[in-house]
Amino acid sequence: MKMIRRLQFLIQRRFKLTLLALLFLTFMMHFALDLFSFSTAVSCSCPPQNHPRAKVHMVRKSPLVRALQDFSGSNGSSVDGSQMVKVSEASPKTVKKPWKRYQGSKLASLFQHPLYNSLMPVIKEEDKLFKVNAEERFTLKGSGSDEWISAGTEFVLPTGETAADTHPTWLKFHIGINRYELYPRQDPLVPILLKEMSTQHILNSVQKPGGTQLKLLMTFPNYGQALFKPMKQERDQETPPDFFYFSDFERHNAEIAAFHLDRILDFRRIPPAVGRLINITKDVRDITTDKKLFKTFYISPANNVCFYGECSYYCSTEHALCGKPDLLEGSLAAFLPDAALAKRKSWRSPWRRSYHKNKKADWEFNPNYCETVKVTPPYNEGTRLLDLIDLSILDFFMGNQDRHHYETFEKFGNKTFLLHLDNGRGFGRHSYDDLSILAPLQQCCRIKKSTLQRLELLHTEPYRLSDVMRESLSMDPLTPILSEPHLLALDRRLGIILNVVRECFKKHGQHQVAFDDMSKLYRERKL
């Protein structure tokens, strides 16, 4: 019996020693792999080594970024066709990676990066939307008046050289619009404008005519105006998969998130938007001059103040907007200059959907559809097609299928940026990536080099897109604006976009796919 017990003890002891040896061997293998990976670590396209942030920006690039790293830093590329992955095979899932803790503001660091401080075109007098007289002073017409007028003329915008300090913020924003951008990078006016829209007293609220859903036009004491979209859907709700894109709700938080995303991508083509909690009794019902809107107010069985307005869809008691008991949150977007002062042209998107339950558009059947678009004005010259591809990338990030038209300022003709307006149907489904939104990129296989470089940068750890979006949105009064699944979906969709570009590189070659817009700008600056 003692021999049996001794034998069992020896077997157990030998098993424990073997197990410990295996664990030690596993640990040593992981340690060796870590050392090898660390030795191959590279840095992103960040400030030079003597820059105070240089050490912080050291990252280990993912395989996808490594495949494009040479392109992002030079005019050459080492992308091999064998490294490409088909989009249909690439369904990257969002995984929380154990990134090292980052010190400081990722958003501030992103905006300090050279890619966000690159050269801009020289803005000539004809490139400005307005000319303004520096000596012209503005004042309120009279006590209690909501009309902001020029002291010496009847025009809101006089003519001249530069802007005056007496202009209200919204007017300075309008004056800053030019051929190339809606507002400058790191514009100090933007945070001021956002704060004013979210805090200023509301003088009047009327329903904005047209459109499929209820929107309010709100006026402030300095005669500034903003477009209010009320909350219709909770942040954690997803659009049902059986909903058609043209019958989806317009979400207030989507408008806010779209502005922040557009700025992070350095497009700067969406008017500033901010969240605000309003009292629909004091800020709408009691001050409105819109009789039709006023008639739609009522008290619900739960003693909440409700209204529904008049519009094509969702304007009925079944879709009424109710306060708690009269508080309702929504988004306020800065109004663009009046059409009488700055006409805008509406363009039908070549990749517009059919807006019919049983039909599809031509581009959904024809893989060579882009060849027709390329030879059709205004897409046959300039960067209009590339700008439209930028817009498709923005829409894919948001999951926005409802891009039937876009607008430009008529004064600038065909050589100007596209306005990215009406983004309320974005961020409806975080669990579904609609690749058809990327059809312009997939079918044309063209992208601006500057856009691609920023996408690559936002795919690296120090500037991960979900992190900079989370930080940017945290500044809004209604934070959180997006639920966590929506933020993480941005990282997943970014990987999909870069995979599409890689597939294009494989088919056509890097230099045929990426348009070097920065080199073109440098050449123009030298002339």
Side-chain angles (χ1 to χ4, degrees):
M1 193 69 177
K2 288 183 179 180
M3 288 293 294
I4 293 173
R5 288 179 180 175
R6 183 175 181 81
L7 183 62
Q8 287 178 340
F9 174 77
L10 289 173
I11 293 172
Q12 289 176 354
R13 185 177 179 184
R14 181 166 296 179
F15 175 78
K16 290 179 180 178
L17 289 172
T18 304
L19 183 61
L20 287 172
L22 286 173
L23 288 172
F24 179 77
L25 181 61
T26 302
F27 172 79
M28 291 301 295
M29 288 175 65
H30 278 285
F31 183 73
L33 286 172
D34 285 342
L35 282 177
F36 174 78
S37 299
F38 180 77
S39 65
T40 60
V42 294
S43 62
C44 68
S45 305
C46 298
Q49 293 182 356
N50 58 356
H51 192 280
R53 292 184 181 268
K55 294 183 179 179
V56 179
H57 291 281
M58 293 297 292
V59 299
R60 186 185 308 161
K61 291 193 174 182
S62 65
L64 190 150
V65 178
R66 283 199 298 270
L68 297 172
Q69 63 184 346
D70 288 345
F71 170 74
S72 66
S74 67
N75 292 329
S77 174
S78 60
V79 178
D80 186 355
S82 63
Q83 296 174 324
M84 305 302 166
V85 181
K86 290 184 179 179
V87 176
S88 58
E89 297 173 356
S91 54
K93 297 180 180 179
T94 303
V95 180
K96 266 286 186 182
K97 298 180 181 179
W99 300 113
K100 294 181 180 179
R101 190 171 180 179
Y102 187 89
Q103 300 296 325
S105 166
K106 286 190 175 185
L107 188 65
S109 181
L110 178 72
F111 289 153
Q112 290 173 6
H113 192 277
L115 288 177
Y116 289 79
N117 291 277
S118 57
L119 281 178
M120 288 293 295
V122 176
I123 300 174
K124 303 173 184 176
E125 201 63 34
E126 60 268 23
D127 296 328
K128 298 177 183 178
L129 190 61
F130 298 115
K131 297 178 183 179
V132 182
N133 188 344
E135 297 180 357
E136 187 70 38
R137 297 188 64 80
F138 281 72
T139 181
L140 285 175
K141 190 172 184 179
S143 175
S145 170
D146 62 355
E147 187 174 359
W148 190 278
I149 65 167
S150 167
T153 71
E154 303 221 349
F155 307 110
V156 174
L157 289 170
T159 59
E161 297 292 328
T162 57
D165 292 337
T166 56
H167 298 163
T169 308
W170 65 267
L171 183 53
K172 291 179 181 178
F173 164 61
H174 288 179
I175 291 169
I177 299 172
N178 60 65
R179 182 185 299 275
Y180 308 104
E181 58 193 0
L182 196 57
Y183 57 90
R185 290 174 175 144
Q186 304 180 39
D187 185 2
L189 290 176
V190 170
I192 298 172
L193 184 59
L194 294 175
K195 184 175 182 180
E196 288 181 356
M197 289 193 295
S198 63
T199 58
Q200 276 189 330
H201 174 61
I202 300 170
L203 282 182
N204 190 23
S205 299
V206 296
Q207 184 170 346
K208 185 180 183 296
T212 59
Q213 300 185 39
L214 177 67
K215 295 178 281 290
L216 299 178
L217 179 58
M218 295 184 166
T219 305
F220 303 113
N222 63 0
Y223 206 50
Q225 292 182 314
L227 186 66
F228 180 80
K229 287 191 177 182
M231 182 178 79
K232 294 185 177 179
Q233 187 170 304
E234 297 290 343
R235 289 152 176 74
D236 57 352
Q237 285 182 270
E238 274 204 280
T239 301
D242 290 328
F243 264 41
F244 284 102
Y245 41 85
F246 48 81
S247 59
D248 193 9
F249 288 121
E250 290 188 12
R251 286 165 284 275
H252 72 300
N253 61 316
E255 293 286 359
I256 300 167
F259 159 67
H260 286 261
L261 178 61
D262 179 81
R263 185 170 64 114
I264 286 171
L265 294 174
D266 199 39
F267 293 153
R268 291 169 286 116
R269 300 162 193 169
I270 294 180
V274 68
R276 179 163 179 168
L277 188 66
I278 68 164
N279 185 310
I280 58 178
T281 299
K282 297 178 180 179
D283 296 330
V284 184
R285 190 192 68 180
D286 292 352
I287 62 174
T288 186
T289 55
D290 189 333
K291 295 180 180 179
K292 291 182 179 179
L293 176 65
F294 182 80
K295 289 180 180 179
T296 66
F297 277 84
Y298 65 94
I299 304 298
S300 73
N303 287 322
N304 292 322
V305 181
C306 306
F307 70 108
Y308 52 87
E310 291 187 356
C311 60
S312 303
Y313 297 95
Y314 305 122
C315 283
S316 63
T317 52
E318 291 81 8
H319 301 99
L321 302 164
C322 298
K324 297 182 180 180
D326 51 8
L327 295 180
L328 177 69
E329 67 175 62
S331 66
L332 278 167
F335 229 54
L336 291 175
D338 190 273
L341 297 170
K343 290 183 180 180
R344 300 200 300 269
K345 185 171 182 178
S346 179
W347 303 79
R348 184 187 176 106
S349 172
W351 280 271
R352 180 184 186 272
R353 297 175 188 272
S354 68
Y355 287 81
H356 191 282
K357 294 181 178 66
N358 300 315
K359 292 182 180 179
K360 288 189 175 183
D362 292 343
W363 59 267
E364 295 181 88
F365 295 104
N366 182 8
N368 298 317
Y369 179 79
C370 186
E371 296 305 315
T372 303
V373 177
K374 286 178 181 178
V375 296
T376 304
Y379 307 101
N380 59 340
E381 61 180 3
T383 60
R384 176 62 65 88
L385 181 58
L386 293 163
D387 291 333
L388 194 61
I389 290 171
D390 281 348
L391 181 54
S392 73
I393 289 172
L394 175 73
D395 282 334
F396 179 70
F397 274 125
M398 300 189 294
N400 178 28
Q401 300 173 313
D402 188 40
R403 187 69 67 185
H404 45 84
H405 287 79
Y406 63 87
E407 294 184 19
T408 59
F409 285 108
E410 196 173 279
K411 175 182 177 180
F412 303 133
N414 294 336
K415 297 181 179 179
T416 185
F417 66 91
L418 314 184
L419 287 163
H420 299 172
L421 306 177
D422 295 329
N423 304 289
R425 284 183 172 144
F427 297 103
R429 297 179 65 187
H430 56 73
S431 59
Y432 175 69
D433 304 322
D434 185 0
L435 284 174
S436 69
I437 301 173
L438 278 181
L441 174 62
Q442 291 175 309
Q443 294 179 355
C444 299
C445 270
R446 293 282 281 164
I447 189 173
K448 291 180 184 177
K449 181 177 179 179
S450 60
T451 298
L452 180 55
Q453 286 177 328
R454 288 190 294 271
L455 293 176
E456 289 174 26
L457 187 67
L458 291 166
H459 198 62
T460 61
E461 185 272 332
Y463 312 100
R464 189 161 38 157
L465 180 56
S466 60
D467 289 341
V468 291
M469 267 292 285
R470 188 184 297 106
E471 182 182 342
S472 185
L473 292 173
S474 68
M475 303 172 191
D476 191 89
L478 298 183
T479 189
I481 300 300
L482 293 179
S483 64
E484 197 63 20
H486 276 296
L487 289 168
L488 297 180
L490 293 174
D491 295 330
R492 181 181 70 243
R493 290 166 183 168
L494 176 53
I496 292 173
I497 293 168
L498 292 177
N499 278 338
V500 170
V501 176
R502 293 168 65 191
E503 188 69 15
C504 288
F505 281 179
K506 178 181 178 181
K507 292 178 181 178
H508 306 288
Q510 172 190 307
H511 297 292
Q512 291 297 319
V513 174
F515 175 75
D516 196 350
D517 52 325
M518 296 308 298
S519 293
K520 182 175 181 293
L521 177 59
Y522 282 120
R523 289 195 300 269
E524 291 175 353
R525 290 291 293 262
K526 288 181 179 179
L527 295 177

